[in-house]
Amino acid sequence: MDITKEIQRRRTFAIISHPDAGKTTLTEKLLLYGGAVQLAGSVTARKQQRATTSDWMELEKKRGISISSTVLQFEYEGYYINLLDTPGHKDFSEDTYRVLTAVDSVVMVIDAAKGIEPQTRKLFEVCRQRGVPIFTFINKCDRPMKDPLSLLDELEKVLGIGAFPVNWPIGTGFEFKGVYDRRAKQFHLFERTVGGAYRAPVEVGGLDDPAIRGRLDPVTYAKTVEEIEMLDLAGEEFDEESVLAGLTTPVFFGSGVNNFGVQLLLDGFLQHAPAPKSRVMAGLSIAPEHPAFSGFIFKIQANMDPRHRDRIAFLRVCSGKFERDMVVSHSRTAKKVRLSSSHKLLGNERETVNEAYPGDVIGLVGHDGFGIGDTLTTDPTILYREIPRFTPEAFSFLHNSNTAKFKQFRQGLDQLLQEGVIQALTLRHSGSKVPLLAAVGPLQFEVVQFRLENEYGATSRLETTPWNVVRWLPASMTDEQLDALSLPTGAKVGYDMGNNPVVLFANEWSANYFTTPNPGVTLSHLPVGLSGL
Ligand SMILES: Nc1nc2c(ncn2[C@@H]2O[C@H](COP(=O)(O)OP(=O)(O)OP(=O)(O)O)[C@@H](O)[C@H]2O)c(=O)[nH]1
Ligand SMILES: [Mg+2]
């Protein structure tokens, strides 16, 4: 099999946005239109309804929000698609940012009534820094929305990116009837289906098609025609290169829940989104066609399938061909490992995969030594350093509330620490065995508690701490030097999981004050040698 052909048909992308814009709903509809599911589930599923494929965790189904990113692989029209649905909430952004290292492009979902929201803007900045091409889906056009022209304006002004409308909404809110495909010069008028579980019936026709005209009220028709003329008069052309450079975003309008515009987004995206490209590591460029197999782990998740209770390491293949049972070297341990349990994934469903190509995300089972950020390769000179780190901003003690379940509590917590859901710190000169947890946001503690109980049968109790800020000390500091530090009131010295010394402070002010009584001791936001975003 020609590897170039396999690479060229790969599309690996993430769906990103502020919470609630409709990422999971859109993901499910892309699966429906991509033929990967026959019946679309809903994020707010009631008893008789199916839940979505990507929000498979118990807590996600209960809350109706995404907590963890999900991988969905399927084939459609000759393309091999790796789609990653991400959580929007900022407390889970570490997971989302890790996913961004593993994709070649993104679909940014915008709520048509709200425009660009803060979390979308942050994620956008990361994509721009990484030069990732961005496609925009303006969702929820079935509700009262901002004027489409002002939404384009917002994209250009707030994000500083060119916006090219590929299609255009016909009517808005309750009168939202469909979209106009500007390049094919065709109207797509849809009908709503109950719950949007099936594809929406569509009628396609040109500007002057009487059947189409007959279905629109004269005001909507006239307004749409006028807007389309205006856009055409502006004379902007679709500029493929500018899109691939991340300077222009193609904009699609629609409504995920009603299946309006989903097919046009899927087809337009696949046509213009890039296939996997070279990756640069330590100044060296590794092409996907490189003869050596290489990839890196960007996510670990345990207990995805209650029947198996094992942990999956998610690997993004970057170069060469993956073959099941191949022996690779593992960067963290420099040991050789055989990869015999490899899977393709659709939410929490998995299937053995015998070969994979650059762009693919595969799930590897049975390797407890794998950690986030590790490189696996047949050429040990290749080492990816892709995974960003975040500075924790929330700190809490976690008590085991049932001593009889201590084993389960410890085992569960160790697993969640390995997944990188949270970090653990230990206080210096403290005899207490109660774990001190550190997270980007407090919702992560809730996830830990829920999963400990749900997956390990261990109940727990959180205890607030007086700290809100952590800073790393130079790793070379000796015990005597640590003892000699003059700490502001309430501050404490501790260690991270890699045994690097840290200081916990009550607030930013006391962290800034620290250098006054301790000149020459520099604090950093992350362990030295690791770069943040
Ligand atoms: N009216 C309307 N509602 C929608 C549309 N798409 C999604 N929704 C609703 O918006 C809510 C949020 O949808 P989700 O798909 O869970 O949003 P999300 O972006 O995945 O949210 P997080 O993953 O938690 O960040 C749900 O109640 C959906 O039913 C749409 O096109 N129109
Ligand atoms: Mg979601």
Side-chain angles (χ1 to χ4, degrees):
M1 180 62 77
D2 183 358
I3 183 166
T4 308
K5 211 169 118 197
E6 288 297 331
I7 295 167
Q8 286 314 314
R9 73 188 191 103
R10 282 333 190 246
R11 294 290 181 273
T12 304
F13 68 105
I15 303 205
I16 57 163
S17 80
H18 197 81
D20 255 10
K23 296 175 290 298
T24 300
T25 305
L26 177 64
T27 301
E28 188 74 3
K29 300 316 172 81
L30 291 173
L31 296 182
L32 176 71
Y33 279 83
V37 301
Q38 304 313 315
L39 182 71
S42 147
V43 281
T44 47
R46 294 194 187 81
K47 276 209 177 68
Q48 307 83 342
Q49 268 179 314
R50 245 187 106 241
T52 55
T53 315
S54 61
D55 277 355
W56 54 269
M57 272 172 111
E58 271 315 305
L59 191 54
E60 294 180 319
K61 286 192 257 181
K62 229 164 123 173
R63 287 270 191 97
I65 62 167
S66 302
I67 287 168
S68 175
S69 55
T70 307
V71 180
L72 306 126
Q73 278 172 320
F74 58 101
E75 284 193 72
Y76 166 75
E77 301 270 316
Y79 290 101
Y80 196 98
I81 299 165
N82 290 266
L83 161 56
L84 289 109
D85 180 23
T86 65
H89 197 289
K90 81 170 195 357
D91 288 11
F92 308 128
S93 50
E94 209 165 7
D95 188 14
T96 302
Y97 285 70
R98 287 174 187 154
V99 163
L100 289 180
T101 64
V103 298
D104 303 311
S105 58
V106 299
V107 171
M108 174 169 79
V109 181
I110 288 175
D111 181 325
K114 296 189 176 148
I116 294 157
E117 298 175 89
Q119 201 57 20
T120 305
R121 195 165 161 175
K122 280 196 203 159
L123 292 164
F124 169 83
E125 284 304 330
V126 178
C127 293
R128 177 146 63 185
Q129 270 175 31
R130 298 183 58 89
V132 176
I134 298 156
F135 292 72
T136 302
F137 185 67
I138 302 208
N139 191 28
K140 307 197 185 182
C141 294
D142 60 317
R143 289 221 298 229
M145 62 180 275
K146 289 189 174 181
D147 173 54
L149 280 171
S150 70
L151 281 167
L152 293 186
D153 211 42
E154 205 173 320
L155 281 170
E156 302 205 328
K157 290 224 171 77
V158 178
L159 302 182
I161 189 169
F164 181 87
V166 177
N167 62 26
W168 198 250
I170 306 165
T172 64
F174 191 68
E175 289 301 317
F176 179 49
K177 294 281 195 279
V179 291
Y180 175 73
D181 178 349
R182 289 184 61 212
R183 279 177 308 161
K185 299 197 185 309
Q186 279 185 322
F187 280 102
H188 290 239
L189 299 185
F190 301 96
E191 278 170 46
R192 298 182 195 214
T193 58
V194 182
Y198 298 97
R199 289 158 174 247
V202 60
E203 189 171 350
V204 181
L207 271 175
D208 303 318
D209 190 327
I212 295 284
R213 266 185 104 140
R215 276 189 54 189
L216 293 173
D217 71 83
V219 179
T220 306
Y221 179 81
K223 182 169 179 284
T224 312
V225 171
E226 188 188 329
E227 285 172 342
I228 292 165
E229 276 171 3
M230 222 168 74
L231 291 173
D232 288 348
L233 270 178
E236 235 182 299
E237 294 288 326
F238 186 88
D239 181 347
E240 183 113 28
E241 255 169 53
S242 172
V243 170
L244 293 179
L247 301 173
T248 296
T249 179
V251 181
F252 299 80
F253 289 83
S255 163
V257 91
N258 291 298
N259 303 333
F260 286 23
V262 174
Q263 182 86 63
L264 286 169
L265 170 71
L266 180 62
D267 293 340
F269 170 80
L270 291 172
Q271 190 187 347
H272 297 293
K277 281 196 310 234
S278 298
R279 295 215 156 214
V280 178
M281 52 124 223
L284 270 181
S285 172
I286 308 286
E289 294 87 357
H290 192 288
F293 158 77
S294 71
F296 65 92
I297 292 166
F298 65 94
K299 178 183 170 76
I300 286 176
Q301 180 117 31
N303 310 321
M304 286 179 64
D305 184 338
R307 287 167 305 178
H308 294 297
R309 295 265 164 214
D310 49 16
R311 72 196 271 280
I312 298 193
F314 293 78
L315 177 108
R316 148 88 196 211
V317 181
C318 298
S319 76
K321 180 179 175 186
F322 169 85
E323 281 171 288
R324 194 158 74 86
D325 279 328
M326 78 194 301
V327 174
V328 297
S329 62
H330 173 221
S331 62
R332 183 182 300 248
T333 56
K335 286 201 179 119
K336 299 267 185 233
V337 286
R338 178 183 296 277
L339 303 177
S340 45
S341 184
S342 45
H343 303 269
K344 64 174 283 192
L345 301 145
L346 188 77
N348 64 343
E349 290 166 31
R350 55 168 108 153
E351 200 180 292
T352 296
V353 70
N354 291 320
E355 43 191 54
Y357 293 90
D360 285 346
V361 171
I362 54 174
L364 301 169
V365 176
H367 301 275
D368 285 351
F370 288 178
I372 291 173
D374 294 0
T375 299
L376 299 178
T377 174
T378 51
D379 174 355
T381 62
I382 300 178
L383 180 67
Y384 296 104
R385 284 185 169 273
E386 295 271 21
I387 303 294
R389 283 280 299 265
F390 279 65
T391 308
E393 291 176 22
F395 305 88
S396 186
F397 289 111
L398 187 74
H399 295 266
N400 166 31
S401 40
N402 178 356
T403 40
K405 290 274 173 90
F406 183 74
K407 213 178 119 213
Q408 288 87 332
F409 174 80
R410 200 57 244 188
Q411 189 197 0
L413 189 59
D414 285 344
Q415 177 54 51
L416 297 177
L417 288 170
Q418 238 189 347
E419 281 186 23
V421 176
I422 24 101
Q423 303 178 37
L425 302 174
T426 44
L427 294 175
R428 192 159 189 264
H429 297 319
S430 158
S432 166
K433 290 266 178 292
V434 180
L436 170 59
L437 305 185
V440 171
L443 266 181
Q444 285 174 297
F445 297 140
E446 274 187 57
V447 172
V448 167
Q449 284 196 292
F450 185 91
R451 289 189 56 190
L452 278 177
E453 184 163 2
N454 197 44
E455 296 167 26
Y456 299 89
T459 51
S460 59
R461 181 172 58 81
L462 288 172
E463 184 199 337
T464 52
T465 72
W467 307 296
N468 295 293
V469 173
V470 66
R471 293 288 176 267
W472 270 259
L473 289 160
S476 58
M477 281 185 84
T478 60
D479 273 342
E480 292 73 44
Q481 287 172 321
L482 292 175
D483 283 335
L485 289 174
S486 162
L487 297 174
T489 318
K492 263 287 203 201
V493 173
Y495 299 94
D496 72 4
M497 295 195 291
N499 233 10
N500 300 304
V502 300
V503 192
L504 287 151
F505 296 100
N507 50 43
E508 203 75 37
W509 183 87
S510 85
N512 293 337
Y513 175 73
F514 175 87
T515 41
T516 312
N518 301 286
V521 183
T522 27
L523 295 177
S524 50
H525 282 67
L526 289 167
V528 177
L530 285 171
S531 59
L533 281 163

